[in-house]
Amino acid sequence: MSKRTIVSMPGDGIGNAVLPEAIRVLEAAGFEADYVHADIGWEFWCTEGNPLPQRTIDLLEEHKIGLFGAITSKPKSDADAELAPELRDQGLVYYSPIVALRQHFTLDVCARPCQTFKGNPLNFIRRSADGGVEEPEVDTVIFRQNTEGLYGGVEWTNPPDNVYDSLMSHPKFSMNFGDVPREELSVSTRIFTRQATERILRAAFEYAKKFGYKSVTVCEKPNVIRETSGMMLALGKEIAAEYPGIALWDTNIDAQMMWLTKNPEDYGVIVAGNMFGDIISDGFAGLVGGLGFACSANVGEEIAVFEPTHGSAPKYADYENSIVNPIAMVLSACMMLDHISEIETAAKMRKAVAEVVEEGKVRTYDMMKMRGKPDVVEQGAASTTQMADAIIAKLS
Ligand code: NAI
Ligand code: MG
């Protein structure tokens, strides 16, 4: 088979520190690929007025698989002030290039695995019935619909006539909001389509089947949000019938957040709409090490982009010797390998990460619960490169 080409998009800030380290780990694990660099992020907003240049879209279109680091988004006033003088007054508006990528390529399936690594000092612990302490082993993968729902961007303040008139035709609106001056109304919609809802549910069940999970939990709020959450649960029941070995559970988002710390080890695959999926995946990530460990996949019908959940952490971006944890990026690279059926190489890399964490000799500052400062390495924390070296050493 010919070598794969991976589009490498380090982006801004610490994306430039963690992505090259993940590529080093991939190479050491024996994954053969060419990496082609693609521009994305703040620099291209400032110099070209576009944080997601067309040439980057073209590269993804051609090669289909991307590894992404992180981008920096700043408030509107900074975006305007930092734009190159010759580009000002052209009506250019900054937008988040990663959100734009997800929308452009309809990367509608987002997967976020949250798995406990033994020996990680950041693991969640809880009190047991006899007063002792227990460390539940979490192995949950959250499937979040990535393009619709409350983050779909269909919203108004002071809605125009046609929108306002349609809203007024709903009895609950006219009864509860009919007296409110229109300019005091803000409306954000929650739109679910059957097609995208089916796709996220099916992706969750397929993943559960492929990796041997025993349950898929639909986590929504169908008792209150009857139309959208209701559709997801109803479709979940239909699709579950095609997967006889896998139990369908359903929970409400609020109760799920309470159970998060009570019995997180009980959940396998969880599937939810955009905002609830965002919330639950951050919640579960907090049980297994937080941003230094949280990886994700954005998968469309043809194109997929893999990225750590964290952002560009600007305060650590300019360190000569980077201190941030590359594990989230390395685990995102493992998800990429799973996606292209390099499952054994992915497993080998995860095992290497697990061994480094369990051994506990090499830990980045976050794992040592230190405040991030340039001198953490002198105080015994591993640098980004040292952590990657330790993972690579376990591969051989
Ligand atoms: P952030 O994730 O960049 O950083 C928050 C804090 O988490 C950091 O200060 C650091 O203490 C810790 N942290 C993050 N990654 C870490 C790592 N690998 N190892 C150890 N510690 C780590 O989020 P923040 O500060 O809210 O946003 C910074 C910038 O990143 C903003 O411009 C924001 O818009 C952008 N952002 C981009 C995302 C993306 O590219 N997908 C996601 C989230 C934020
Ligand atoms: Mg989030």
Side-chain angles (χ1 to χ4, degrees):
M1 210 178 96
S2 65
K3 252 194 196 175
R4 277 199 174 262
T5 300
I6 308 292
V7 180
S8 162
M9 297 171 280
D12 297 311
I14 64 165
N16 294 288
V18 293
L19 183 41
E21 297 299 347
I23 291 178
R24 226 156 50 81
V25 176
L26 282 164
E27 284 174 344
F31 174 62
E32 286 186 25
D34 292 320
Y35 296 89
V36 44
H37 174 94
D39 296 332
I40 190 168
W42 194 251
E43 180 189 338
F44 305 97
W45 160 253
C46 298
T47 55
E48 300 175 23
N50 183 2
L52 176 60
Q54 182 62 39
R55 55 187 181 277
T56 296
I57 293 179
D58 293 343
L59 281 171
L60 273 168
E61 195 93 62
E62 184 181 349
H63 301 296
K64 314 288 185 216
I65 303 287
L67 275 177
F68 170 71
I71 50 87
T72 297
S73 285
K74 298 187 194 179
K76 189 176 180 304
S77 53
D78 296 13
D80 295 344
E82 292 182 39
L83 190 59
E86 66 274 17
L87 295 171
R88 289 182 202 159
D89 306 316
Q90 293 182 19
L92 293 170
V93 179
Y94 175 82
Y95 58 91
S96 160
I98 181 65
V99 174
L101 257 190
R102 291 174 190 148
Q103 271 157 4
H104 181 86
F105 290 118
T106 319
L107 306 180
D108 60 330
V109 171
C110 173
R112 292 185 168 184
C114 298
Q115 277 133 356
T116 302
F117 285 105
K118 220 185 246 173
N120 185 351
L122 301 173
N123 285 344
F124 167 68
I125 52 171
R126 82 185 154 214
R127 190 75 68 198
S128 59
D130 61 8
V133 165
E134 44 191 33
E135 192 171 311
E137 200 173 310
V138 178
D139 182 2
T140 301
V141 185
I142 290 98
F143 277 77
R144 160 191 172 192
Q145 207 294 325
N146 221 11
T147 47
E148 304 190 334
L150 260 172
Y151 299 174
V154 183
E155 40 187 13
W156 304 266
T157 289
N158 190 4
D161 285 349
N162 51 351
V163 174
Y164 185 78
D165 293 345
S166 317
L167 288 168
M168 280 298 267
S169 73
H170 195 293
K172 287 225 169 93
F173 186 90
S174 52
M175 186 171 68
N176 296 323
F177 306 104
D179 299 340
V180 181
R182 218 201 290 192
E183 59 283 4
E184 289 180 21
L185 278 174
S186 291
V187 181
S188 301
T189 62
R190 188 180 205 257
I191 299 171
F192 281 29
T193 64
R194 187 182 167 107
Q195 196 201 15
T197 307
E198 270 184 14
R199 258 180 61 79
I200 192 72
L201 286 160
R202 214 167 269 289
F205 275 97
E206 280 298 315
Y207 188 93
K209 186 172 149 187
K210 185 168 170 189
F211 293 100
Y213 288 88
K214 296 190 173 53
S215 66
V216 171
T217 301
V218 173
C219 177
E220 278 284 321
K221 184 97 183 170
N223 55 335
V224 177
I225 316 176
R226 308 184 80 87
E227 301 302 329
T228 46
S229 293
M231 174 168 79
M232 183 173 267
L233 182 56
L235 288 174
K237 285 178 182 164
E238 273 176 35
I239 290 170
E242 297 169 35
Y243 297 84
I246 302 167
L248 174 74
W249 297 349
D250 75 277
T251 58
N252 286 339
I253 177 68
D254 47 348
Q256 182 71 70
M257 292 315 285
M258 189 175 57
W259 294 328
L260 182 71
T261 47
K262 209 169 167 235
N263 58 339
E265 67 273 43
D266 290 352
Y267 299 94
V269 172
I270 298 185
V271 56
N274 204 338
M275 186 199 205
F276 294 165
D278 195 15
I279 293 171
I280 328 163
S281 60
D282 274 15
F284 271 92
L287 304 177
V288 299
L291 289 175
F293 288 82
C295 55
S296 75
N298 304 281
V299 181
E301 304 242 27
E302 263 191 73
I303 289 161
V305 174
F306 302 84
E307 56 161 331
T309 303
H310 64 71
S312 60
K315 61 182 171 181
Y316 306 135
D318 299 327
Y319 282 26
E320 207 172 304
N321 191 12
S322 173
I323 62 164
V324 296
N325 191 346
I327 290 179
M329 186 77 236
V330 170
L331 295 175
S332 305
C334 293
M335 297 188 79
M336 174 188 81
L337 294 177
D338 281 342
H339 179 78
I340 56 178
S341 298
E342 296 275 349
I343 303 217
E344 275 170 39
T345 314
K348 194 162 113 183
M349 274 170 52
R350 284 195 188 94
K351 186 163 166 275
V353 170
E355 283 174 17
V356 172
V357 175
E358 182 160 13
E359 203 170 77
K361 284 196 211 141
V362 177
R363 288 176 170 167
T364 43
Y365 83 95
D366 54 321
M367 298 172 73
M368 299 179 79
K369 309 194 184 198
M370 290 173 159
R371 276 172 70 98
K373 290 205 181 116
D375 64 358
V376 292
V377 176
E378 281 150 50
Q379 291 169 34
S383 67
T384 309
T385 301
Q386 286 169 333
M387 175 55 89
D389 285 342
I391 296 168
I392 289 168
K394 294 291 181 197
L395 285 167
S396 50

